Amino acid sequence: MQETAKPKGLAKIWREIKRPFRRLYRKNRKSEWALKVGCDKIRCVEIEIFSYCNRKCWFCPNSFVDRHSKNILMDENLYLRILNDLRSINHDKMISYSRYNEPLAHKDIFIKRLMQARELLPNAVLHTNTNGDYLTREYLDELYAAGLRSMNIQCYLSEGESFDIGKIKASIAKTAERLNLDFNVTCNSDQLHQVSFSHKDMQLSMYARDFNVNGNNRGGTLKTIRGRTRHAPCFIPFVDIYIDYNGNVMPCCNFRSDVPEHKSFIIGNANNTSVLEIFNSAKLLKLRKILRNNNIELYPCNECNFAT
């Protein structure tokens, strides 16, 4: 999952997405025109190409959801169908290989999926988030050759461990030595420490956050992190799509389809519906309207500190 800057003109985006819906659901619902309504607003498509994660972090629902004992791959035909949907609108923004797995854990699959995306979406920015456990300089060079151009390496502290800048800097220095890369500090605060590595034209960062201060309770599923009070509308479901390994599509990075509390937030399944049609679905439109008008009363969105 990657945190990015808030796009300008949320009200304008809302108007442009909303305007065609009356016609969209009266007639012509499955036409090519209908599928593409508002799809130029898609900023990021986050795809979980398999289920496995090698960690059980205290600030993640993987601490109680089994993502460890087996690995379930996203069906290749489904993955290619998603890419071809995006190709039909000339998607040139971000494809993020993230969600709740560790993307680098299955090297052959990840490299193959990157190469497929690069072939079908030559102008898209291919990105991933990783805990860095599997990353070597050789692997990094292979990822770059396959088309990856953006990566966030996340530095984690143990539960109850204080945000120790000294430990964080030591971990970053160790990673820099392993990758044989120079870096510059881009943020150094009491809640976040981030560096940028120099590697060709790749955006390569490593950072540590103080989850005790700025962590997220992941849609109300974590008791280890308290909920926050939201004061502003959320723009994420207006511009991003999140696809789990099983094809279920979620409106936000903090929802996941394998958590019972989040089942009602599944907005579609890419196995039987185009992601472009899901992006224009009545269910997602209803959620956008709630978020725009009164999200402070929608649980668990009203406890979320993302995209504010």
Side-chain angles (χ1 to χ4, degrees), residues 42-144:
I42 298 174
R43 177 190 65 164
C44 175
V45 181
E46 189 165 287
I47 306 175
E48 191 173 54
I49 55 175
F50 53 79
S51 65
Y52 177 78
C53 185
N54 64 310
R55 291 197 181 199
K56 297 180 181 180
C57 297
W58 65 273
F59 50 82
C60 175
N62 285 354
S63 58
F64 60 86
V65 176
D66 182 13
R67 288 296 192 93
H68 208 78
S69 62
K70 60 182 178 180
N71 189 21
I72 304 173
L73 303 184
M74 173 180 278
D75 181 77
E76 183 174 17
N77 290 329
L78 168 60
Y79 175 74
L80 293 175
R81 192 158 59 247
I82 293 167
L83 295 185
N84 278 303
D85 280 346
L86 297 173
R87 186 183 186 185
S88 73
I89 59 169
N90 298 313
H91 182 71
D92 60 358
K93 300 179 181 67
M94 182 172 286
I95 304 291
S96 179
Y97 297 89
S98 303
R99 301 297 289 144
Y100 291 90
N101 66 344
E102 170 45 50
L104 273 65
H106 202 316
K107 182 177 180 180
D108 292 343
I109 288 294
F110 192 22
I111 294 292
K112 182 178 181 180
R113 296 293 179 261
L114 287 170
M115 293 176 68
Q116 290 167 324
R118 177 51 62 232
E119 179 181 357
L120 292 172
L121 299 167
N123 297 317
V125 178
L126 306 186
H127 167 84
T128 195
N129 296 304
T130 176
N131 58 35
D133 291 350
Y134 297 89
L135 188 61
T136 64
R137 179 55 186 265
E138 180 182 5
Y139 196 176
L140 178 63
D141 290 340
E142 290 182 69
L143 292 169
Y144 183 89

Side-chain angles (χ1 to χ4, degrees), residues 237-267:
F238 290 82
V239 289
D240 294 350
I241 301 174
Y242 301 87
I243 310 171
D244 289 347
Y245 69 91
N246 53 20
N248 282 326
V249 180
M250 311 303 292
C252 168
C253 58
N254 291 309
F255 292 123
R256 48 189 291 176
S257 61
D258 58 356
V259 171
E261 297 92 327
H262 294 169
K263 295 292 186 183
S264 63
F265 285 92
I266 297 172
I267 57 174

